Each structure stands twice: as structure tokens, then as C-alpha cells.
Amino acid sequence: MQPESTYASTGGGKSDRGSPKLRRSASAWRLLPDLLRGGIGGRLLVRVFFFSSVITLLLTLAQLYLDYRGDVQAIDRKMSEIDSSYRQSLSEGLWEMDGRQLQLQVEGILRLPNIRYVELREATDQAAPLVVAAGAHQANPPERHELRIYYSNRDAKQLLGILVVEATYDQIYRQLLNTAATIMAGQAIKTFMVSFFILLTVHRLITRHLTAIGTSLRGYDLRGSRAPLRLERRPPRPSDELDFLVGAFNQMWTGLQQAYDDLQLQVGLLQRLPVSAWTLKPDGTPDFVNQVWLEFAGQTLDFVQSHPEAWMTAIHPDDREMGVKTFWDGVHSGQDFAMETRSLRARDGAYRWHLQQAVALRDSDGKLLRFVGTTTDIDDLKRAEEALRQAQSDLARINRVTTMGELAASLAHEVSQPITGALTNANVCLRGLDHDQPDLDQLRTAVTRMVRDAQRAAEILRRIRSQFERGNLDREVLDVNEINRGTVALLRDQAARYNISVRTELATDLPQIAGDRVQLQQVAMNLIVNSFEAMKNVEGIREVVVKSQRVENDILVSVSDTGPGFPQELAEQIFDPFFTTKPDGTGMGLRVARSIIESHGGRIWAMGSHGNGATFHLSLPAAILGQL
């Protein structure tokens, strides 16, 4: 509010402050330019004034119409009064042909309101009838009445003349205009005063407080603290809508402040997460990247946001093509995506492995809003996995060496057969060469057999040596039944030593798989040798059954024996490292077997029953057929 005005009086050389009523009036009039400048007050004044003017105009028109109807009806009543008041005297004047008397009566009628012309004409067939007239005749008067003047004599009526009276609405119109002007002027002043009073009241009660609230909201800052909003007025009783609005605003401010504090905490946590967090617009442009990535890659937020692929400059050149393709495939399809790449660490120039993962964020209508992703440093995990794989490979090699000790007798038998055959054929050659005429065909046959036996011995030695070799997984297309047959043949002498029969039930037309021949043969050998070890002291039937079959998309191989078995509750525990049921076992054979099968995408499990033997099952997916 502006300062209140003061009014000074010159009487006695003293000044006096105006009365409170005058001060309020002056203050209100000085506010008028501000109220009319714009905003709700100005629009309210225009609308109130316009509405009041329309209502006033309609009411004025209704009043003028009623006045007009009343004046017209008054003219009609005057005509009726003329007929009743002047008929007798006019009749007598015409009968006596008293022109002066008739003239006076006609002029008397002319002086009546709104009458502009009066004419009395004698009804006769003579050439010069008596005519008495007064006033100005009009061509088309709005009101024209003709009254017939009769003279009654002994119940007989004689037409003496016709009285013509013409009236005009000029006076009615002037009166209506004066009335309209008076009403409109008075209503305009009243409408303006009422509108101004309404405007001033609205300003005092509402708009100035809305302006104060708007000013407070304009300077609102979530980062600073502030006192609750209060209106500079005397609180009404009971509270009104403005109190409700202020209370709602203060409550909203408290909630927003709490939400802002929580958001700041979350942003701080997001900036210092142990992984890089980021978001992408639907077109792939980054719009948020936390400080972890910026510090790692030595990039700025403006640089990262400059282009969708800007952040990819830190990716290793060998990984960049794959990373770019995966990134754009995910962005263009609007689907989640993930990739593993090596990224350059700015502080030491080292490349480290990172896992980039992104999920698509959509609204309730399915429209893509953002991609939300993380970049996780998995370099240490990669190294640990590589070390674990190496340890598993070394452990498998140790297990193979341990197992080969038990196979020495069988291997000696396998090798001795081709060597014996080679010696026999060599002796045949020597004896044949002692003849004067050697049989060359016989010698060629013997030499061919020597080569065959030598190759067989070399293949056996290669297979034995491969069990001790250290290397990575070497995948090739394999026939599971061929591995089973070869393993059973390799262990034939050991089975005979323990009086164990080995029976195979191998399904035909099994699909091939992709895997490492040596490792899969090691698994089969471990399972069969374990069955031998379990049954070598068993009284009664000693039998091992090796089966293969197809179950849906998997190839299922099982090794069953008639040994002492094991409790079913140990079915999972026997695959744990260093767990063994044999007095001299290492507890690593089954653990290594599980690792090998799982690395081939399969699984292995056991079923046992105490005293009724055990069965080991392993499944390999036929879906990897031909994948090397």
C-alpha cells in the first residue's frame, strides 16, 4: 500500500491532517492508476462495468418502452375524452353555424398534449362547406382520428360534420430521450462507483495478497532456509481461502524442502557411487554422467554431452566397433543393452575392463523417456576369473596325473599289443631276408603291419600324453558315444583286474556336440574309475552300466554301479572340494568333473541309495552342435 495522503488547511496558518475518511478516500483514488494498469483488478473492473452497463441498458430500454406505451395509451384516452367532451358542443355549434364558437373549441382541442392539428368540416353537399381548422397538418401523422358529429332531434340523428384530430409523438420522443439520458447518466455513475468499490474491495482482500504471495514465490529458493509465509493483515475469524492457500503453500514448501534435501543426498550418493551412473536421451545423447566416470576417463560433462559417441573415445580401439554397434542397436530398438569393453584410465593410461549396462525407462503409455545405465569396473573380476580358470585347469591336470597312476597297467597292456605285433612282423621280415629269393609281397605285408602297429602305439602314447598336457579348452565336434566307447576300452584291463563287467547301452543317432575331447574323456574316466574303486571290495555282482540317450534338446549320459552307494543327503555335498568317501581320495575328482561339464554348458548330479549302488548323470546341450 502507498502512504496515506494528507490534506492541509490554510486557516490560521496551521496545517491539519485530513480526517480518516478523507485519508482513506484519497488513498483509494491514488491507488486507481495501479488498479487499472492490468491484472485481475483491471479485468474485473471492465467486466463489472460492462455487465452493469448491459443490465442498465436493458432495464432502461424496458422502462422507455413502458413509458412509450403509456404515452401512446394516454393519447388514445385523450381522443376518447375529446369524443365525449366536445361532441355535444360541436354539434350545437354546427347546428347554429356559429363559426366563432367552433373556432374557439377547435383551438381548445389543439392545446391538449401531443395534438398538432384539428379540423372540423361541415357535412353538406354545398360547394363551400364550413371548415374550421387549427394547427399544422402532416402528411402521415402517427395518430389520426375522425369523429362524426350528429345532431339528435326527436330520436332522429342528422350528420352535421366530421372532426379530424391528428396527434404527433415528438413530445413523447423528447421525453423518452430526456428520461434515457437521465437514467444512463445516473446508472453510469452508480455503476462506476459500485465497480470501483468492488475493485477496491477485491484488491484489499485478495489481489494485493496474491501479489505478495507471487513475489514470495518468485524469490523462492530451495537451497536456502526461510520463514513461513505470512500475510500482512489482521487474521479473519474464521479463516478464509487465503489462509488455506498460505497454509497449503507453507506445507508444500516444507515438503519440497524435505524432497530437495533427500534429492541432494541422492545426487551426492549417485556422484560417489563405486560405479559410473549415467542417463541417455531417447536419441542416445548423454544428459547425465556422474563424477566417477569423468574422473576415470578425464572427460568433462560438456564434452560427454556434446555427441552421443563422445564418451566412446575412451574405449579401446579393438573394442570400439563392437561397442558402437551394441550401443546404437540398443538405442534404435529402444531395448535394454549391455557390453563389455576396455576403457582408458586417464591418470595412468591403463585400459581396464568395464561392463556397460542400460535399461529403457518408459512412461505408462510405453513411450521411451530415458536410458538409465551404469558402467562397472570389472577388470579385477576379469583377472580373478582368469586366475580361477587357470587354477581349475591346473587342478584338472593334477587330477588327470593322479588318475593315470591307476591306469598304468591298462596302458601297458594297450601299448604292449602294437609293440608285440611290430616285433613279430619285424622277425618275419628278418627271416624273409635270409632267403636267397625273398618273397617281396610277404615282406611288404609285414612292413605294412609294422607301420600300422607303430601308428597305433604312437596314437596311444599321444592320448596318454594329452592327459598331462596343460592348455586351454580346445573345442571340436564330438560324438558322445565315441568318447564313452574309447574310455571303456581304455579301462578294460582294470575292470578285468577287479572282476567288474562293463556294459554299455548307447542310443543311436545322437546329435553331436562341441567340446574338448580330452576334458570330456577325463570326466567319463573319473566316473567309471570311481565306480571301480567303490566295487573292488564288494561281494556279489560287480557291474558298471554306461548309458546315453536324448532327452528333449539335451544328451543324457549316466554311469551306474552296484557298489555300496551313499546316502542321498550327500548327493550334492560329494561335489564339494576336498570332500571324499575314499580313505586315500583327494576329494577333487568330482569337483573337477562338475567344472568341466558346466564349462560345456551342461550339468552333473548324483543319485545314491545306501547299499544299493550309485548313479551319476550328466547332460550336455545338443544346441551347441557345431559351435567351436
Side-chain angles (χ1 to χ4, degrees):
M1 295 289 291
Q2 298 182 1
E4 294 179 338
S5 302
T6 59
Y7 289 82
S9 67
T10 59
K14 295 182 181 179
S15 64
D16 224 355
R17 288 195 176 270
S19 67
K21 181 180 293 185
L22 290 176
R23 290 199 301 270
R24 287 195 297 270
S25 176
S27 178
W29 282 106
R30 293 185 64 181
L31 276 174
L32 183 58
D34 293 335
L35 297 179
L36 298 180
R37 187 171 294 123
I40 296 176
R43 295 196 298 272
L44 177 63
L45 179 61
V46 171
R47 284 164 172 76
V48 171
F49 190 79
F50 176 77
F51 178 76
S52 299
S53 300
V54 171
I55 296 299
T56 300
L57 179 61
L58 293 177
L59 293 177
T60 302
L61 291 176
Q63 182 64 42
L64 294 177
Y65 176 74
L66 294 177
D67 292 346
Y68 172 77
R69 291 290 303 274
D71 292 339
V72 171
Q73 291 175 359
I75 293 175
D76 292 337
R77 287 195 299 271
K78 286 295 181 184
M79 294 297 179
S80 299
E81 290 176 0
I82 291 171
D83 186 20
S84 61
S85 299
Y86 289 89
R87 182 186 295 271
Q88 183 63 30
S89 59
L90 291 174
S91 174
E92 292 176 356
L94 284 174
W95 180 259
E96 296 176 359
M97 299 298 289
D98 187 355
R100 180 174 177 79
Q101 179 66 27
L102 292 175
Q103 185 68 39
L104 292 175
Q105 290 181 347
V106 167
E107 291 178 353
I109 295 174
L110 183 63
R111 285 192 291 269
L112 293 176
N114 301 311
I115 303 300
R116 289 294 178 265
Y117 178 72
V118 179
E119 177 186 289
L120 179 61
R121 181 181 296 273
E122 180 187 8
T124 180
D125 295 334
Q126 297 179 5
L130 175 64
V131 177
V132 180
H137 175 66
Q138 297 179 351
N140 294 306
E143 290 282 346
R144 187 176 187 277
H145 293 264
E146 293 182 358
L147 303 177
R148 295 181 181 274
I149 307 299
Y150 294 93
Y151 180 78
S152 300
N153 184 16
R154 296 178 182 180
D155 298 331
K157 287 186 177 181
Q158 180 181 352
L159 178 64
L160 298 180
I162 297 174
L163 177 64
V164 177
V165 181
E166 295 179 357
T168 181
Y169 291 168
D170 294 343
Q171 186 177 354
I172 295 177
Y173 292 152
R174 284 193 296 271
Q175 291 177 353
L176 291 178
L177 288 176
N178 292 334
T179 302
T182 303
I183 293 176
M184 293 299 293
Q187 290 295 331
I189 295 174
K190 183 174 65 175
T191 298
F192 177 78
M193 296 303 295
V194 170
S195 301
F196 179 73
F197 176 75
I198 294 174
L199 175 61
L200 183 61
T201 302
V202 171
H203 172 75
R204 292 284 300 173
L205 296 180
I206 301 176
T207 56
R208 69 188 183 101
H209 298 302
L210 292 179
T211 302
I213 294 174
T215 303
S216 177
L217 289 176
R218 182 177 297 176
Y220 181 75
D221 188 359
L222 285 172
R223 293 170 295 183
S225 60
R226 55 172 295 162
L229 176 64
R230 289 187 177 89
L231 298 179
E232 295 182 0
R233 64 169 184 168
R234 180 181 300 172
R237 292 292 181 270
S239 60
D240 58 14
E241 291 83 354
L242 287 176
D243 290 327
F244 177 78
L245 177 62
V246 171
F249 170 76
N250 288 328
Q251 183 177 1
M252 179 195 70
W253 181 87
T254 302
L256 286 177
Q257 188 66 47
Q258 182 63 42
Y260 178 78
D261 294 340
D262 294 342
L263 183 61
Q264 287 295 101
L265 176 61
Q266 294 175 9
V267 169
L269 294 175
L270 191 62
Q271 290 288 1
R272 306 313 305 175
L273 284 175
V275 298
S276 172
W278 40 269
T279 60
L280 305 175
K281 297 178 182 178
D283 64 354
T285 303
D287 58 353
F288 170 79
V289 178
N290 70 349
Q291 196 64 26
V292 175
W293 172 260
L294 300 179
E295 292 177 356
F296 175 87
Q299 297 176 343
T300 64
L301 183 60
D302 292 339
F303 173 75
V304 172
Q305 293 176 338
S306 64
H307 190 269
E309 297 183 15
W311 64 275
M312 298 184 189
T313 57
I315 295 179
H316 194 284
D318 294 343
D319 302 337
R320 193 169 300 162
E321 181 179 356
M322 178 274 296
V324 169
K325 182 179 183 303
T326 303
F327 175 81
W328 284 117
D329 286 347
V331 170
H332 292 156
S333 65
Q335 302 298 321
D336 303 349
F337 62 89
M339 57 184 171
E340 292 183 3
T341 59
R342 289 165 290 177
S343 299
L344 181 66
R345 185 163 59 186
R347 72 167 183 263
D348 57 4
Y351 281 98
R352 295 182 63 83
W353 281 100
H354 285 85
L355 173 62
Q356 321 271 1
Q357 293 176 297
V359 295
L361 182 64
R362 302 179 182 276
D363 61 13
S364 57
D365 296 328
K367 180 182 178 181
L368 180 63
L369 301 177
R370 285 287 189 280
F371 288 95
V372 180
T374 58
T375 299
T376 308
D377 190 324
I378 59 171
D379 195 77
D380 294 337
L381 180 62
K382 279 278 190 180
R383 296 178 187 276
E385 289 178 350
E386 183 62 30
L388 178 61
R389 282 194 296 269
Q390 188 61 51
Q392 289 177 340
S393 178
D394 293 343
L395 188 60
R397 178 171 171 269
I398 293 172
N399 183 263
R400 289 197 298 270
V401 172
T402 303
T403 304
M404 291 304 297
E406 301 177 0
L407 302 177
S410 297
L411 294 177
H413 176 75
E414 289 289 332
V415 176
S416 65
Q417 287 183 350
I419 292 177
T420 301
L423 290 174
T424 301
N425 286 295
N427 290 328
V428 171
C429 289
L430 290 175
R431 287 195 300 270
L433 291 174
D434 290 337
H435 297 162
D436 294 335
Q437 295 292 330
D439 188 346
L440 297 180
D441 292 336
Q442 184 180 10
L443 293 176
R444 184 178 295 104
T445 301
V447 171
T448 300
R449 290 174 180 174
M450 289 172 60
V451 173
R452 182 198 61 190
D453 293 335
Q455 289 176 342
R456 181 181 174 190
E459 177 63 22
I460 293 174
L461 292 175
R462 187 193 67 79
R463 289 166 57 190
I464 295 172
R465 185 170 62 251
S466 67
Q467 297 292 325
F468 295 90
E469 288 179 348
R470 176 178 178 176
N472 295 325
L473 189 66
D474 185 15
R475 290 185 179 271
E476 58 180 313
V477 177
L478 300 174
D479 184 342
V480 173
N481 287 341
E482 180 185 348
I483 294 176
N484 291 331
R485 293 190 189 96
T487 305
V488 170
L490 193 62
L491 299 174
R492 185 170 49 245
D493 284 354
Q494 187 174 352
R497 185 185 314 132
Y498 295 128
N499 195 23
I500 297 174
S501 64
V502 180
R503 180 165 53 89
T504 59
E505 298 179 4
L506 307 179
T508 59
D509 299 329
L510 289 180
Q512 293 179 316
I513 64 170
D516 187 285
R517 180 186 299 274
V518 173
Q519 289 191 358
L520 293 178
Q521 192 172 38
Q522 176 185 348
V523 173
M525 187 176 296
N526 279 342
L527 296 180
I528 297 175
V529 170
N530 283 346
S531 296
F532 288 174
E533 290 291 330
M535 291 188 298
K536 64 182 180 181
N537 295 321
V538 171
E539 298 295 335
I541 299 175
R542 303 176 183 177
E543 184 181 42
V544 174
V545 179
V546 179
K547 295 182 180 180
S548 68
Q549 57 183 319
R550 182 170 185 171
V551 178
E552 295 182 352
N553 292 328
D554 293 339
I555 298 174
L556 180 65
V557 177
S558 61
V559 178
S560 305
D561 61 53
T562 57
F566 57 85
Q568 184 60 32
E569 55 267 21
L570 298 180
E572 186 63 28
Q573 191 176 357
I574 60 177
F575 291 98
D576 293 341
F578 308 114
F579 180 85
T580 181
T581 57
K582 296 185 292 185
D584 55 348
T586 63
M588 295 302 299
L590 292 177
R591 178 58 188 175
V592 171
R594 168 169 281 186
S595 298
I596 292 174
I597 294 302
E598 290 179 349
S599 68
H600 283 73
R603 65 188 187 98
I604 184 171
W605 68 98
M607 299 181 63
S609 178
H610 190 65
N612 295 319
T615 301
F616 286 84
H617 300 279
L618 63 91
S619 66
L620 294 170
I624 61 174
L625 176 63
Q627 296 180 5
L628 299 178

